[in-house]
């Protein structure tokens, strides 16, 4: 009897999984440095090591930052500035020099996982960046391939949601026609090199475009009726999943379903100007805390169930020198003195979920639309005319992107199969 109980433990574990490092490894943070009051790097390293954050993205290749994280378990995403893209594209030697200066010296000490070539280049307003982006990425990858010790370093670039022309419903996600040829080339490069497509979705800007209570609940992962995607017949419980799946649909539509998606930035400001609706401490705490819980659950999105996309929160600190409205200087998880602007459940010694934030809604397969609440004459699902999914947080631009839709998706159906396999295995062993 005791032997059989021991053999049944794996079955129990299927339904009562132990905490896993995998659930933590999906969470990263952006470290912007447009500020004059940031703490010493040694303090920042200690701060990050006190959290469950395992990845750090910087917007350049600051040697001091890279060296500071040597010997830690925190992996780094570093970047080639937009100003350097043209030179890397036109001259392979320039790419080789960049790699020699910014990657090779750290291969035995710091963990660099991705190099991003340019930041939001396709929506920068500089047409030359678009034509130079892919050649620069190709030259840099070739330069990195000169050393087998950095063969695991990926090369990618980061996009705003403005690369999409269509996103509602998520299953209809599509890129702007004038960007399709460029993005086909980039996606082919990412597929062949095993690198991710990196995107910056911000549910905050969707709510600003449609500041209804039901939209806020949808953006903050709070209780809501769910929003049906009539195309996929999946229902969405939160805006983040809808935005990510709109990108997934657009990438798939061009023929690249194998390319992984990484969220390079997302966040919510805790403070704003009087006309910046939704920028409050409570909302920022709810969004980030519930997003962290959602990512840790590994439930995934309706189109990508069973695993969470790697997601970099914006941002580690407030950046007091950033131009634009107050919200641009108010995305930090921490103040410069390392005190929290709010507790998002990221500290190792605290609970892994925010006690005051609503738990994220579980994704469940929906074969029919959710019931229309009393008093409404049309299905739930639209954020309102002219709403936008997001706009750039880093540069302060609030140009309309794509219409705000979102609908609670299906989870993977592999648990029963695994259970039956364990039962069969257990029965065969106990007969021995």
């Amino acid at each position: 009897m005791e032997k059989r109980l021991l053999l049944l433990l794996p079955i129990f574990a299927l339904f009562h999984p132990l905490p896993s490092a995998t659930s933590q490894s999906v969470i990263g943070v952006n470290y912007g440095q447009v500020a004059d009051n940031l703490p010493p790097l040694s303090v920042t390293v200690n701060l990050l090591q006190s959290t469950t954050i395992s990845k750090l993205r910087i917007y350049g290749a600051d040697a001091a930052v890279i060296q500071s994280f040597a010997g830690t378990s925190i992996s780094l995403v570093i970047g080639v500035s937009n100003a350097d893209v043209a030179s890397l594209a036109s001259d392979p030697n320039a790419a080789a020099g960049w790699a020699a200066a910014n990657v090779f010296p750290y291969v035995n000490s710091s963990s660099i996982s991705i190099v991003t070539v340019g930041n939001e280049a396709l929506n920068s307003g500089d047409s030359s960046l678009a034509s130079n982006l892919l050649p620069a990425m190709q030259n840099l990858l070739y330069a990195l391939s000169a050393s087998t010790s950095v063969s695991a370093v990926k090369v990618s670039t980061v996009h705003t949601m403005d690369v999409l022309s269509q996103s509602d419903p998520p299953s209809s996600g599509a890129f702007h026609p004038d960007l399709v040829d460029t993005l086909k080339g980039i996606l082919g490069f990412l597929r062949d090199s095993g690198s991710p497509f990196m995107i910056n979705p911000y549910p905050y800007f969707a709510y600003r475009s449609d500041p209804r209570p039901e939209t806020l609940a949808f953006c903050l992962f709070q209780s809501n009726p769910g929003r049906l995607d009539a195309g996929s017949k999946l229902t969405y419980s939160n805006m983040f999943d809808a935005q990510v799946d709109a990108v997934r649909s657009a990438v798939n539509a061009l023929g690249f379903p194998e390319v992984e998606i990484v969220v390079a930035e997302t966040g919510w400001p805790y403070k704003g100007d009087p006309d910046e609706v939704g920028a409050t401490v409570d909302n920022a705490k709810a969004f980030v805390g519930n997003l962290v819980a959602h990512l840790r659950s590994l439930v995934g999105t309706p189109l990508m169930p069973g695993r969470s996309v790697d997601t970099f929160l914006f941002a580690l600190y407030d950046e007091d020198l950033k131009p634009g409205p107050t919200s641009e200087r108010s995305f930090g998880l921490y103040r410069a003195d390392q005190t929290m602007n709010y507790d998002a459940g990221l500290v190792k010694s605290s609970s892994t979920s925010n006690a005051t934030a609503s738990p994220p809604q579980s994704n469940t397969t929906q074969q029919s639309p959710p019931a229309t609440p009393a008093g409404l004459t049309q299905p739930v699902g639209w954020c309102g005319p002219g709403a936008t999914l997001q706009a750039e947080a880093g540069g302060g631009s609030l140009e309309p992107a794509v219409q705000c839709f979102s609908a609670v998706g299906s989870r993977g159906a592999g648990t029963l199969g695994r259970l039956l396999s364990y039962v069969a295995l257990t029965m065969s062993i106990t007969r021995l």
Side-chain angles (χ1 to χ4, degrees):
M1 180 68 178
E2 181 180 354
K3 179 179 179 181
R4 293 182 181 181
L5 286 174
L6 289 173
L7 290 169
L8 286 170
L9 284 176
I11 301 174
F12 179 82
L14 283 173
F15 299 98
H16 300 273
L18 296 174
S20 167
T22 304
S23 66
Q24 309 300 333
S25 64
V26 298
I27 301 170
V29 70
N30 287 269
Y31 176 48
Q33 296 172 277
V34 187
D36 61 4
N37 61 351
L38 297 178
L41 282 169
S42 59
V43 172
T44 295
V45 172
N46 290 336
L47 175 64
L48 277 179
Q49 289 183 312
S50 73
T51 73
T52 56
I53 294 168
S54 62
K55 305 172 188 290
L56 183 74
R57 178 185 171 218
I58 60 177
Y59 292 85
D62 189 323
V65 175
I66 298 172
Q67 291 169 351
S68 294
F69 285 90
T72 71
S73 60
I74 296 171
S75 68
L76 302 176
V77 175
I78 66 173
V80 175
S81 71
N82 285 354
D84 289 334
V85 169
S87 64
L88 268 62
S90 61
D91 185 1
N93 290 327
W98 197 97
N102 299 298
V103 179
F104 293 160
Y106 312 110
V107 295
N108 295 320
S109 56
S110 299
S111 174
I112 298 173
S113 59
I114 303 174
V115 178
T116 58
V117 177
N119 184 47
E120 302 179 343
L122 295 185
N123 297 104
S124 67
D126 183 350
S127 59
S128 67
L129 275 176
S131 60
N132 284 318
L133 197 55
L134 180 56
M137 295 166 69
Q138 291 169 329
N139 284 343
L140 183 59
L141 182 64
Y142 182 78
L144 292 172
S145 68
S147 171
T148 56
S149 59
V150 296
S151 58
V153 177
K154 306 301 183 183
V155 175
S156 188
T157 187
V158 177
H159 309 281
T160 71
M161 288 289 287
D162 290 337
V163 296
L164 294 181
S165 62
Q166 176 74 18
S167 71
D168 64 74
S171 63
S172 69
F175 293 115
H176 275 287
D178 58 347
L179 294 177
V180 165
D181 288 343
T182 299
L183 285 167
K184 274 186 176 178
I186 290 173
L187 284 164
F189 169 87
L190 298 177
R191 177 198 58 201
D192 295 343
S193 62
S195 300
F197 186 87
M198 303 181 74
I199 193 76
N200 294 344
Y202 278 90
Y204 164 69
F205 293 106
Y207 174 63
R208 282 195 54 175
S209 299
D210 178 32
R212 295 179 296 160
E214 56 265 39
T215 306
L216 183 62
F218 189 67
C219 289
L220 299 182
F221 299 83
Q222 293 173 337
S223 178
N224 66 86
R227 299 183 175 186
L228 178 72
D229 181 333
S232 65
K233 308 304 181 187
L234 296 171
T235 304
Y236 286 77
S237 65
N238 66 81
M239 180 64 75
F240 178 83
D241 283 355
Q243 291 178 323
V244 170
D245 275 359
V247 176
R248 177 76 275 164
S249 295
V251 170
N252 290 357
L254 290 189
F256 299 94
E258 61 274 80
V259 174
E260 179 186 2
I261 292 172
V262 165
V263 172
E265 288 182 20
T266 193
W268 196 287
Y270 66 87
K271 182 170 63 176
D273 294 326
D275 63 343
E276 293 189 283
V277 61
T280 69
V281 171
D282 287 344
N283 287 346
K285 180 178 182 179
F287 174 75
V288 179
N290 286 334
L291 172 60
V292 167
H294 182 60
L295 294 172
R296 284 174 173 161
S297 75
L298 302 182
V299 68
T301 72
L303 285 181
M304 297 181 288
R307 63 181 298 272
S308 295
V309 298
D310 284 3
T311 298
F312 290 78
L313 303 172
F314 187 86
L316 181 58
Y317 295 117
D318 292 330
E319 296 177 81
D320 66 332
L321 298 182
K322 292 194 75 171
T326 297
S327 62
E328 287 298 316
R329 297 176 290 282
S330 308
F331 274 86
L333 298 171
Y334 291 90
R335 306 179 187 96
D337 63 2
Q338 301 93 61
T339 57
M340 296 179 185
N341 282 313
Y342 53 86
D343 185 359
L346 290 165
V347 179
K348 284 181 180 177
S349 59
S350 69
S351 172
T352 56
S353 62
N354 192 334
T356 61
S358 314
Q361 303 298 302
S362 296
N363 289 341
T364 56
T365 303
Q366 299 284 341
Q367 298 302 325
S368 58
T372 302
L376 294 181
T377 58
Q378 59 184 351
V380 174
W382 302 98
C383 293
T388 62
L389 273 178
Q390 75 97 36
E392 179 185 358
S397 169
L398 298 180
E399 298 176 2
V402 282
Q403 284 199 325
C404 163
F405 170 87
S406 275
V408 204
S410 62
R411 298 187 67 167
T415 300
L416 179 59
R418 290 193 298 272
L419 173 60
L420 293 175
S421 296
Y422 272 113
V423 170
L425 176 61
T426 301
M427 293 177 66
S428 65
I429 292 176
T430 53
R431 285 196 298 265
L432 297 176

